[in-house]
C-alpha cells in the first residue's frame, strides 16, 4: 500500500501515542452527557459537561489553543489551556499529545466547564481530554483565503458518492438531506398507522419477478438449486395478504431493476406500496393528496417547495387529466383507438425512437414520456391508461379499453403509480398471457405469469386500491436535489479505478510514450536513457500494470500506451 507523506506522519504519531501508554482506540465507553446543540440551547456558565467529537480546526497560541469539535449535531468551540490540562509540573499532555500528536480529524473526548469568551462565543474550557480514535487519513477540508475565496472543497460527485463517510463529515448540508429523508418516511408511517394499516415485510428473493414491467437481476439458490430473482416490485405479495384478510397493508421495500442508470434511476431503490381493501383509484387520489400535503409540511414546514427554478405547491387538490387527453393536448394527435401499427407510425412522425418489440402500451408510454411528461410540473394525476399499459389494473367502469389507473406527475417526473386493482382471476390470466406474447416478441421487460398469484385471486380478493410511491424521488423533490445519488447514502458506482504509483524510471517511460500514443521500442529506449537492468524491470512492470504493450510489426517492435 502506497502511503502519502501525511499518512506516514500520522502513523508515526500513532506509534508514539502507544509508546507513551496511550491507546488511540480505547475499548471502554466514553460517558458523554452533552452535545454541541444541547450545550448551546441550555447554556449555563460554569456547568460541567462531558462531550466527544471530531477535531475540525484549532488555533494554537503557545500555552493556549482554541479548537472546534464536531459531533452529530454540529460544532462547539473548545478552549485548551496548558495549565488547566496539566496543573502539575508535567506538561506532556498539552505540549506533546495535544500540540504534536493530535491532528485534524481525530476523535477526542473532553471534560470541561462552560464559559463565554470575550467575543461572546459559548465555549468549553477543557479540564481533561482523551484520544478516542486516531485518524490516519487527512480530511479534505476547504480552505478560505483572506478575500473570502474558498478552495479545495470536497465537491467532486464521484468522490463524494464513493466516500460518503467523508462527505458527511466535511459537508454538513449532506447530513441535513438524510435527516429530512427519515422525517419523510416517518411522516408516511404516521399517516398510515393512524388509519390502522399494517406495515409488513415481503420476500426480496422471488421465484418470479412480478408486479412490474422491468428487467430483473437473476441469482441462484444453491441449497434449493433453483434460480431466484431480486424483486422488481412487492405488489403481488401484498395483494396475497389482502386475499388473506388484511384490510390495509403497506411496505417500504428495496426493489432492484437491472436497467440503465441516470439522475433519476439507480438499480437499487426504495418504494412504498400500500393496498387497501374495498377502495378504488378515486379514493386513492384523495388519500394521496392528503398524504403528500402532510409529508411536505412535516419535512419542510409548509406545502410550497422550491425545486430548481420551479415553485411546487403540494396543497390539495391536484388536477386529474386522462392520459389520452394529455397526448392530444401536447401533440395535437388523438391516439385513442389506434392500433399498434398506427401508434408506431405516429411515434415516428413525432421523432420518437421505437422498435418492433413495442406493443400498444409501450408505444403510448413512449409518446407520453417524450411529449407530455415534462409539462406537468405541479402535482397532477394522469389517469385512465389503456388496458395494454396496465396488466394488473381493473378495466374502467365506463370507458371501454381503458383502466382505472393513475400516475402522479410532479416536476415533470412520475412520483407514484396506482390502480383500482384487478381482482378478476380470468381477466388477470388473459392479461398475463398477453404479456407472455410481448415477451416472445422480444420485450425483455414484459411480466411473467405468476401462477400462484392467479391461484390466490381464484380464492377471491375484495375490491382493492393500491399505490406505489418512489421514496427516492419524493426525497429529491423535498430536498431540492436533481440527482438520485444525492439522496442515497451509497449509490451504485462503477468499480473504482486502482491508483497506480509508478517508480521514477517508470514515470520517465510513460512521460515519453503517453504524448505519442505509440512509438518504436528502440526509439523509446534511447530517449529514456535507462540502464539495461532498470529498463527491463520498468517495462516489465508497466506491461503487468496495463500501462503499455509491445506489438511486433513487419519491421520492428512497436510500443503502445494503454494506461
Amino acid at each position: 500500500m502506497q502511503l502519502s507523506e501525511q499518512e506516514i506522519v500520522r502513523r508515526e504519531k500513532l506509534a508514539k501515542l502507544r509508546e507513551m501508554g496511550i491507546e488511540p482506540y480505547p475499548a471502554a465507553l466514553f460517558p458523554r452527557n452533552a452535545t454541541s446543540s444541547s450545550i448551546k440551547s441550555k447554556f449555563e456558565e460554569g456547568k460541567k459537561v462531558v462531550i466527544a467529537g471530531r477535531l475540525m480546526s484549532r488555533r494554537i497560541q503557545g500555552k493556549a489553543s482554541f479548537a472546534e469539535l464536531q459531533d452529530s449535531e454540529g460544532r462547539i468551540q473548545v478552549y485548551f489551556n496548558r495549565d488547566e490540562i496539566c496543573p502539575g509540573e508535567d506538561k506532556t499532555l498539552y505540549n506533546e499529545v495535544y500540540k504534536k500528536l493530535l491532528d485534524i480529524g481525530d476523535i477526542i473526548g473532553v471534560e470541561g466547564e462552560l464559559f463565554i469568551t470575550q467575543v461572546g462565543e459559548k465555549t468549553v474550557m477543557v479540564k481533561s481530554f482523551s484520544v478516542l480514535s486516531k485518524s490516519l487519513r487527512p480530511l479534505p477540508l476547504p480552505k478560505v483565503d483572506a478575500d473570502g475565496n474558498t478552495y479545495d472543497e470536497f465537491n467532486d460527485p464521484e468522490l463524494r458518492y464513493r466516500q460518503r463517510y467523508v462527505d458527511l463529515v466535511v459537508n454538513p448540508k449532506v447530513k441535513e438531506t438524510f435527516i429530512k429523508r427519515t422525517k419523510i418516511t416517518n411522516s408516511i408511517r404516521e399517516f398510515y398507522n393512524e388509519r390502522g394499516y399494517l406495515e409488513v415485510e415481503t420476500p426480496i428473493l422471488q421465484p418470479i419477478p412480478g408486479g412490474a414491467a422491468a428487467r430483473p437481476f437473476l441469482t441462484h439458490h444453491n441449497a434449493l438449486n433453483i434460480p431466484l430473482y431480486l424483486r422488481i416490485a412487492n405488489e403481488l405479495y401484498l395483494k396475497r395478504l389482502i386475499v388473506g384478510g388484511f384490510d390495509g397493508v403497506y411496505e417500504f421495500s428495496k426493489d432492484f431493476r437491472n436497467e440503465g442508470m441516470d439522475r433519476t434511476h439507480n438499480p437499487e431503490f426504495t418504494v412504498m406500496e400500500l393496498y387497501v381493501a374495498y377502495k378504488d383509484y378515486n379514493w386513492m387520489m384523495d388519500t394521496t393528496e392528503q398524504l403528500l400535503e402532510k409529508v411536505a409540511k412535516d419535512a419542510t414546514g409548509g406545502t410550497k417547495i422550491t425545486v430548481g427554478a420551479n415553485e411546487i405547491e403540494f396543497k390539495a387538490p391536484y388536477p386529474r387529466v386522462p392520459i389520452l387527453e394529455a397526448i392530444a393536448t401536447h401533440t395535437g394527435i388523438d391516439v385513442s383507438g389506434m392500433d399498434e401499427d398506427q401508434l408506431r407510425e405516429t411515434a415516428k412522425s413525432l421523432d420518437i425512437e421505437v422498435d418492433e418489440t413495442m406493443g400498444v402500451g409501450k408505444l403510448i408510454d413512449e409518446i407520453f414520456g417524450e411529449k407530455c411528461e415534462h409539462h406537468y410540473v405541479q402535482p397532477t394525476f394522469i389517469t385512465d391508461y389503456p388496458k395494454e399499459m396496465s396488466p394488473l389494473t381493473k378495466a374502467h367502469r365506463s370507458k371501454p379499453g381503458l383502466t382505472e389507473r393513475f400516475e402522479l406527475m410532479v416536476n415533470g417526473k412520475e412520483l407514484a403509480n396506482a390502480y383500482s386493482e384487478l381482482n378478476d382471476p380470468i381477466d388477470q390470466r388473459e392479461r398475463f398471457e398477453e404479456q407472455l406474447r410481448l415477451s416472445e416478441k422480444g420485450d425483455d421487460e414484459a411480466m411473467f405469469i405468476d401462477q400462484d398469484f392467479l391461484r390466490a385471486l381464484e380464492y377471491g380478493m375484495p375490491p382493492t386500491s393500491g399505490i406505489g410511491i418512489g421514496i427516492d424521488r419524493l426525497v429529491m423533490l423535498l430536498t431540492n436535489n436533481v440527482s438520485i445519488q444525492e439522496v442515497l447514502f451509497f449509490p451504485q458506482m462503477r468499480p473504482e479505478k486502482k491508483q497506480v504509483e509508478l517508480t521514477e524510471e517508470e514515470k520517465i517511460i510513460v512521460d515519453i510514450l503517453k504524448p505519442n500514443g505509440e512509438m518504436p521500442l528502440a526509439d523509446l529506449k534511447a530517449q529514456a536513457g535507462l540502464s539495461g537492468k532498470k529498463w527491463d524491470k520498468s517495462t516489465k512492470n508497466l506491461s503487468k500494470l496495463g500501462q503499455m504493450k509491445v506489438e511486433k510489426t513487419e519491421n520492428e517492435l512497436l510500443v503502445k500506451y494503454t494506461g
Side-chain angles (χ1 to χ4, degrees), residues 285-518:
M285 280 187 264
D286 295 338
T287 301
T288 302
E289 290 172 339
Q290 297 166 25
L291 169 70
L292 293 180
E293 187 174 322
K294 167 185 161 50
V295 171
K297 287 178 180 177
D298 289 347
T300 69
T303 59
K304 284 185 180 179
I305 64 166
T306 300
V307 182
N310 299 321
E311 185 176 75
I312 295 173
E313 174 61 84
F314 274 102
K315 188 172 181 59
Y318 308 157
R320 303 178 185 192
V321 181
I323 187 171
L324 299 183
E325 182 183 307
I327 291 173
T329 298
H330 297 292
T331 68
I333 301 171
D334 182 2
V335 299
S336 59
M338 285 188 179
D339 62 21
E340 186 177 313
D341 291 335
Q342 292 171 317
L343 283 167
R344 188 172 286 108
E345 290 307 311
T346 298
K348 289 177 180 177
S349 73
L350 294 169
D351 296 321
I352 297 171
E353 189 175 332
V354 294
D355 60 54
E356 297 304 314
T357 70
M358 293 180 176
V360 169
K362 272 277 186 83
L363 291 165
I364 292 175
D365 196 32
E366 286 294 317
I367 294 170
F368 178 79
E370 289 289 329
K371 298 299 178 181
C372 309
E373 199 172 77
H374 60 279
H375 292 288
Y376 297 100
V377 175
Q378 297 304 318
T380 304
F381 293 116
I382 303 298
T383 67
D384 303 343
Y385 284 67
K387 187 180 289 188
E388 294 86 352
M389 297 181 70
S390 313
L392 297 168
T393 311
K394 187 169 284 190
H396 200 285
R397 68 194 76 175
S398 62
K399 299 177 182 178
L402 302 182
T403 61
E404 297 198 345
R405 172 186 175 188
F406 72 79
E407 287 188 346
L408 175 60
M409 297 292 162
V410 185
N411 201 39
K413 295 292 181 183
E414 175 199 346
L415 179 63
N417 187 21
Y419 321 141
S420 293
E421 302 295 335
L422 180 55
N423 61 342
D424 179 341
I426 295 172
D427 189 358
Q428 183 65 82
R429 184 176 293 278
E430 290 171 356
R431 305 276 194 98
F432 276 151
E433 288 170 350
E434 174 58 29
Q435 289 289 302
L436 180 60
R437 285 189 283 275
L438 290 173
S439 178
E440 290 168 350
K441 282 180 60 176
D443 186 347
D444 59 4
E445 293 185 352
M447 290 189 189
F448 287 55
I449 298 180
D450 189 333
Q451 298 291 352
D452 181 67
F453 176 65
L454 289 171
R455 179 169 57 193
L457 288 186
E458 288 169 358
Y459 281 100
M461 183 175 84
T464 299
S465 185
I467 189 170
I469 298 176
I471 296 300
D472 306 313
R473 289 189 182 181
L474 179 58
V475 176
M476 288 168 62
L477 285 169
L478 296 178
T479 59
N480 193 15
N481 277 301
V482 297
S483 172
I484 193 171
Q485 285 85 3
E486 292 290 348
V487 300
L488 301 174
F489 271 128
F490 304 106
Q492 193 65 45
M493 306 287 290
R494 293 183 185 278
E496 191 171 1
K497 289 184 179 178
K498 187 177 179 182
Q499 297 296 314
V500 178
E501 287 290 330
L502 304 180
T503 66
E504 290 302 316
E505 292 79 10
E506 290 163 359
K507 288 177 182 176
I508 291 170
I509 295 172
V510 168
D511 288 344
I512 297 167
L513 180 60
K514 187 175 180 180
N516 296 292
E518 61 180 48

Side-chain angles (χ1 to χ4, degrees), residues 509 521 524-525 528 530-539:
I509 295 172
L521 185 143
L524 179 60
K525 186 174 183 179
L530 301 174
S531 67
K533 188 174 181 180
K534 288 183 178 179
W535 167 261
D536 290 341
K537 183 178 179 182
S538 299
T539 53

Side-chain angles (χ1 to χ4, degrees), residues 132-384:
L132 301 179
S133 182
K134 180 69 182 165
S135 173
L136 299 184
R137 287 177 181 264
L139 288 171
L141 292 170
K143 301 174 181 64
V144 181
D145 65 17
D147 298 323
N149 300 310
T150 304
Y151 300 93
D152 299 331
E153 289 183 278
F154 190 67
N155 55 15
D156 178 78
E158 181 164 337
L159 280 177
R160 288 182 49 240
Y161 304 153
R162 286 193 193 283
Q163 300 179 35
R164 183 68 85 189
Y165 38 87
V166 176
D167 191 28
L168 290 165
V169 171
V170 302
N171 293 321
K173 286 186 178 179
V174 174
K175 182 178 283 188
E176 292 173 15
T177 293
F178 290 100
I179 292 172
K180 191 170 285 188
R181 181 179 179 121
T182 296
K183 288 182 180 179
I184 291 166
T185 55
N186 286 346
S187 179
I188 295 171
R189 283 189 168 96
E190 287 171 8
F191 184 88
Y192 290 148
N193 291 345
E194 285 172 2
R195 285 154 181 79
Y197 308 144
L198 184 70
E199 183 171 6
V200 299
E201 293 181 337
T202 62
I204 292 175
L205 290 174
Q206 302 180 351
I208 292 175
R215 186 183 300 118
F217 286 93
L218 176 65
T219 186
H220 184 81
H221 191 285
N222 290 334
L224 295 177
N225 193 28
I226 58 171
L228 289 172
Y229 301 88
L230 295 181
R231 71 177 165 206
I232 56 175
N234 55 344
E235 175 171 343
L236 301 188
Y237 283 90
L238 292 173
K239 287 182 186 177
R240 286 170 168 91
L241 299 180
I242 298 296
V243 172
F246 289 101
D247 277 349
V249 292
Y250 72 94
E251 179 179 17
F252 285 87
S253 68
K254 281 288 187 183
D255 290 350
F256 307 84
R257 297 183 182 176
N258 197 358
E259 300 170 344
M261 295 169 57
D262 57 31
R263 295 171 78 84
T264 59
H265 293 88
N266 191 67
E268 175 185 351
F269 59 99
T270 303
V271 174
M272 188 295 306
E273 293 204 30
L274 165 77
Y275 294 83
V276 184
Y278 308 107
K279 307 298 184 184
D280 65 6
Y281 81 140
N282 292 310
W283 174 89
M284 187 62 82
M285 280 187 264
D286 295 338
T287 301
T288 302
E289 290 172 339
Q290 297 166 25
L291 169 70
L292 293 180
E293 187 174 322
K294 167 185 161 50
V295 171
K297 287 178 180 177
D298 289 347
T300 69
T303 59
K304 284 185 180 179
I305 64 166
T306 300
V307 182
N310 299 321
E311 185 176 75
I312 295 173
E313 174 61 84
F314 274 102
K315 188 172 181 59
Y318 308 157
R320 303 178 185 192
V321 181
I323 187 171
L324 299 183
E325 182 183 307
I327 291 173
T329 298
H330 297 292
T331 68
I333 301 171
D334 182 2
V335 299
S336 59
M338 285 188 179
D339 62 21
E340 186 177 313
D341 291 335
Q342 292 171 317
L343 283 167
R344 188 172 286 108
E345 290 307 311
T346 298
K348 289 177 180 177
S349 73
L350 294 169
D351 296 321
I352 297 171
E353 189 175 332
V354 294
D355 60 54
E356 297 304 314
T357 70
M358 293 180 176
V360 169
K362 272 277 186 83
L363 291 165
I364 292 175
D365 196 32
E366 286 294 317
I367 294 170
F368 178 79
E370 289 289 329
K371 298 299 178 181
C372 309
E373 199 172 77
H374 60 279
H375 292 288
Y376 297 100
V377 175
Q378 297 304 318
T380 304
F381 293 116
I382 303 298
T383 67
D384 303 343

Side-chain angles (χ1 to χ4, degrees), residues 27-42:
L29 67 80
F30 186 78
R32 290 192 308 169
N33 63 15
T35 63
S36 58
S37 64
S38 71
I39 287 172
K40 293 173 183 176
S41 62
K42 301 174 182 178

